[in-house]
Amino acid sequence: VQLQASGGGLVQAGGSLRLSCAASGRAFSTYVMGWFRQAPGKEREFVAVINWSPGNTYYADSVKGRITISRDNAKNTVYLQMNSLKPEDSAVYYCAAGSHITTTPGSYFYWGPGTQVTVSS
């Protein structure tokens, strides 16, 4: 599976962005899809994950109520809708594919190259 994230950019605090992650391969619908982020000088941290069945999701406490993960298996795409953005949300955002819901980056098999999100105050 090859992953390509897009949709990042510069936004003011309180604004919104929608990230997309397009996946190649016919097995997309069988993978759990996660979003992670990494700010300069910090470790990669979990943001959100969605099971192969789109109704099953899990979020980091820091983004609950502001960020929504969704997927469209027909389009081989997973989305991250980010609202009420804060400067501390600034990071490179990565999508990843794995076999089960987990917040541990090392448990995911495939990673995209990431997309930069910058939130100005």
Side-chain angles (χ1 to χ4, degrees), residues 4-105:
Q4 181 64 55
S6 61
L10 174 63
V11 64
Q12 289 187 335
S16 298
L17 281 175
R18 188 175 83 153
L19 306 184
S20 299
C21 176
S24 64
R26 292 179 290 178
F28 173 78
S29 63
T30 67
Y31 287 102
V32 167
M33 297 300 299
W35 284 96
F36 292 78
R37 65 188 182 187
Q38 189 167 17
K42 295 187 177 181
E43 293 186 351
R44 191 166 298 189
E45 67 171 352
F46 167 77
V47 176
V49 61
I50 186 167
N51 204 352
W52 62 268
S53 176
N56 192 356
T57 58
Y58 184 71
Y59 298 91
D61 288 342
S62 60
V63 305
K64 279 181 182 176
R66 300 187 298 117
I67 288 180
T68 302
I69 188 171
S70 62
R71 68 189 295 166
D72 185 338
N73 288 337
K75 295 182 178 180
N76 278 13
T77 302
V78 62
Y79 305 97
L80 193 71
Q81 177 65 47
M82 304 189 295
N83 301 322
S84 302
L85 284 163
K86 305 174 181 180
E88 51 264 43
D89 293 318
S90 297
V92 177
Y93 282 70
Y94 299 89
C95 60
S99 62
H100 61 283
I101 287 188
T102 175
T103 63
T104 305

